Amino acid sequence: MLSEPAHHTSQTSAALQYQYDLVCIGFGPASLAIAIALHDREIKARVLYIERQRTFVWHAGMLLPNARMQISFLKDLATLRNPRSKFTFVNYLKSKNRLVAFTNLSTFLPLREEYNDYMSWCASHFEQDVQYGHETICVSPAENRMGPIQAWRVLSKNVETNETNTVTARSVVIAIGGKPRIPPALSTGGLDCRIIHSSLYSKAAPSILTDASKAHNVAVIGGGQSAAEIFNDLQSRYPNSYITLYTGASALKPSDDSPFVNEIFDPERVDMFYDLPTESRLKTIWSDKATNYGVVRPELLDRMYENMYHQRLHEPDQSKWQYKIVAWREVVGFETCSDRRIRLKLKNTSKGEITMSDSSFDLAVLGTGYERNGHETLLEPARHLFRESRYAVERNYKVKFRKDAVASDCGIWLQGCCEDSHGLSDTLLSILAVRGGEMVDAIFPMQSPGPGKSGCAKL
């Protein structure tokens, strides 16, 4: 059942009242999975979702033509928890009259733009509970002189008017996703920015390279999936341009999505990982990085290599190629030329030498990934309540507070920033359906299904 907005309540001597049972900061896939789990289990709660973007959109800058998902559609926002939910990808297809046509594709991997449409369709069912266009500034404890903390104050601002707003909640989920990782030496700022992060690519690139027929010179920096997709997309978007991809590794490497390896993303693996000693967790993450970090889907690598071979077939002189992949090169700085183009400072990762790029570029796109530490800034006003100096969480993602500092039915939960404690799947889509149900169980234990009950939605 969808929640209804709550009205202000007054403070009593028994406890500090709050407007909402739950406030979710960020309304991306993680919070959306929670909203769906609440709906499926018919939990009546006062819930508010605060989202900085003006509408629901998932990785808008990377919704490239023909880019496919990297996980099965069965790992949607509901199926693995409740196959009978109205919010399964299959039911979405049925509602859009595309179910039969999709089956004819004989694939488990939908287009990324279709999956974004699926999640947008899910999000549309909860619009009355979402405060779009608001950026959360901080979460602070609502101090209670009678005893432990009973509620939290969530301060946000309207991104257009800068008007601030404060709400109170018994529980808070922080699911703000990652922020672009931009090496300090490549951070330009300013209005005429010729260096952009991959998260802005599909919108920012056309505004900088306005003439699609012109022979632009573009650099792509990185060796992972995003960098490879952008390198490939630029070739069709700007067919007369010269594109160079720089990677600090010895070569572009394939992601490992073989069946046994893929089991590390199974929901039950989270328990196993969480119970490991800290040193074993670090070793496990390092050994499994080839599944997700700095790697490219094999089919895309094959396509890229075929394109490179086609160049070799028609032009033996590599210096004249339109598309180049340069290994062993880390971009460590840049210089702005008189024509406002940029030259890149390159470090040879095998020898340590630093040189400048031979040519200047109209644009450089950073496929340098994301940082997931935004929760630290949001929670600074509550830091004195933490049990440990770091942001440690329980198995159910609840932040660990000092004993008796916070009431047992009041808490803060983290989503998408617990990779070190919950494993590589923490930042991915694979476990969202099951994790959404776990979050509901943790936050609303008295209303969650008991033993022998499935919690499936009534359709």
Side-chain angles (χ1 to χ4, degrees):
M1 179 177 292
L2 303 185
S3 62
E4 297 181 357
H7 298 287
H8 287 268
T9 54
S10 60
Q11 183 173 330
T12 67
S13 58
L16 181 67
Q17 299 299 303
Y18 40 83
Q19 297 164 262
Y20 294 96
D21 299 296
L22 171 64
V23 167
C24 289
I25 301 172
F27 192 56
S31 289
L32 182 54
I34 294 173
I36 291 172
L38 285 168
H39 173 273
D40 286 357
R41 294 182 176 176
E42 300 182 335
I43 292 179
K44 297 180 179 179
R46 300 167 297 175
V47 184
L48 175 68
Y49 305 91
I50 303 175
E51 171 54 48
R52 186 182 190 281
Q53 299 184 109
R54 293 177 176 83
T55 184
F56 184 93
V57 66
W58 175 68
H59 289 309
M62 289 298 293
L63 294 178
L64 308 181
N66 301 315
R68 292 195 173 274
M69 295 295 294
Q70 296 174 255
I71 61 169
S72 166
F73 69 83
L74 292 175
K75 293 183 176 182
D76 58 26
L77 298 175
T79 297
L80 297 186
R81 174 184 50 79
N82 175 14
R84 294 192 292 171
S85 170
K86 68 175 289 184
F87 293 102
T88 65
F89 184 76
V90 169
N91 192 52
Y92 153 78
L93 291 174
K94 181 68 174 178
S95 71
K96 298 290 186 176
N97 197 31
R98 293 201 307 269
L99 180 56
V100 174
F102 183 86
T103 62
N104 292 336
L105 291 174
S106 300
T107 182
F108 280 94
L109 304 177
L111 290 170
R112 193 177 294 158
E113 61 179 338
E114 182 174 36
Y115 205 78
N116 176 68
D117 189 66
Y118 154 65
M119 290 194 288
S120 297
W121 172 80
C122 291
S124 68
H125 292 77
F126 304 95
E127 285 188 348
Q128 70 271 27
D129 298 318
V130 186
Q131 192 175 57
Y132 285 111
H134 283 73
E135 179 179 11
T136 301
I137 301 172
C138 67
V139 178
S140 59
E143 300 291 348
N144 179 21
R145 296 180 181 178
M146 303 295 294
I149 301 301
Q150 302 278 348
W152 308 96
R153 291 191 177 93
V154 181
L155 174 65
S156 63
K157 69 174 180 179
N158 187 305
V159 296
E160 292 185 354
T161 66
N162 284 327
E163 182 181 358
T164 60
N165 181 53
T166 301
V167 297
T168 55
R170 175 176 64 88
S171 299
V172 174
V173 170
I174 298 179
I176 56 177
K179 59 181 179 180
R181 180 186 291 118
I182 301 177
L186 300 178
S187 179
T188 61
L191 298 177
D192 185 29
C193 186
R194 296 296 175 119
I195 300 178
I196 63 172
H197 189 265
S198 60
S199 58
L200 302 174
Y201 167 69
S202 65
K203 292 186 177 181
S207 66
I208 298 173
L209 309 178
T210 56
D211 187 349
S213 63
K214 189 176 179 180
H216 300 290
N217 200 13
V218 183
V220 181
I221 301 164
Q225 183 72 19
S226 294
E229 287 184 0
I230 291 170
F231 179 76
N232 189 64
D233 181 72
L234 283 165
Q235 297 174 32
S236 57
R237 194 182 294 251
Y238 303 100
N240 298 318
S241 293
Y242 291 79
I243 319 295
T244 304
L245 186 149
Y246 294 103
T247 173
S250 59
L252 296 181
K253 300 176 182 179
S255 59
D256 187 348
D257 62 350
S258 54
F260 291 107
V261 171
N262 244 348
E263 287 187 346
I264 69 173
F265 301 119
D266 290 354
E268 57 267 24
R269 285 294 187 96
V270 177
D271 289 322
M272 183 186 303
F273 185 90
Y274 188 83
D275 290 335
L276 291 173
T278 300
E279 184 177 348
S280 296
R281 288 179 184 172
L282 295 174
K283 290 181 179 179
T284 301
I285 289 178
W286 179 257
S287 66
D288 293 338
K289 276 187 176 292
T291 60
N292 188 53
Y293 292 109
V295 290
V296 184
R297 294 281 291 188
E299 59 270 20
L300 178 54
L301 287 178
D302 290 343
R303 194 184 321 147
M304 293 170 66
Y305 195 86
E306 185 174 353
N307 291 341
M308 302 294 285
Y309 183 82
H310 191 262
Q311 287 186 130
R312 189 182 298 272
L313 174 65
H314 293 278
E315 178 53 73
D317 185 355
Q318 296 187 24
S319 66
K320 298 180 181 179
W321 287 3
Q322 271 188 268
Y323 315 123
K324 300 177 183 179
I325 298 176
V326 182
W328 301 109
R329 295 296 184 275
E330 178 186 359
V331 180
V332 295
F334 71 98
E335 291 180 357
T336 302
C337 305
S338 57
D339 58 359
R340 297 198 299 184
R341 284 184 164 192
I342 57 174
R343 294 184 68 203
L344 300 176
K345 184 181 295 185
L346 306 172
K347 178 181 179 180
N348 186 316
T349 54
S350 64
K351 300 178 180 179
E353 300 172 348
I354 294 180
T355 58
M356 297 301 296
S357 59
D358 294 332
S359 58
S360 57
F361 296 95
D362 300 289
L363 175 68
V365 186
L366 305 178
T368 48
Y370 295 83
E371 296 177 333
R372 300 183 182 275
N373 55 5
H375 60 288
E376 297 179 7
T377 301
L378 292 180
L379 291 177
E380 189 60 35
R383 190 180 183 88
H384 64 285
L385 299 172
F386 296 164
R387 187 188 306 177
E388 304 175 21
S389 58
R390 55 189 292 274
Y391 293 78
V393 294
E394 307 283 357
R395 166 59 184 88
N396 65 4
Y397 304 92
K398 187 177 184 179
V399 173
K400 294 180 180 180
F401 293 106
R402 289 187 288 101
K403 184 178 180 181
D404 299 328
V406 178
S408 59
D409 63 345
C410 172
I412 295 174
W413 282 261
L414 303 182
Q415 296 283 270
C417 52
C418 304
E419 183 179 272
D420 60 340
S421 59
H422 288 69
L424 284 176
S425 61
D426 186 69
T427 63
L428 307 178
L429 299 174
S430 299
I431 65 169
L432 285 187
V434 173
R435 193 174 73 186
E438 292 176 351
M439 298 298 295
V440 170
D441 291 343
I443 299 171
F444 301 99
M446 303 303 294
Q447 299 183 55
S448 294
K453 296 183 181 180
S454 67
C456 293
K458 297 178 181 179
L459 303 181

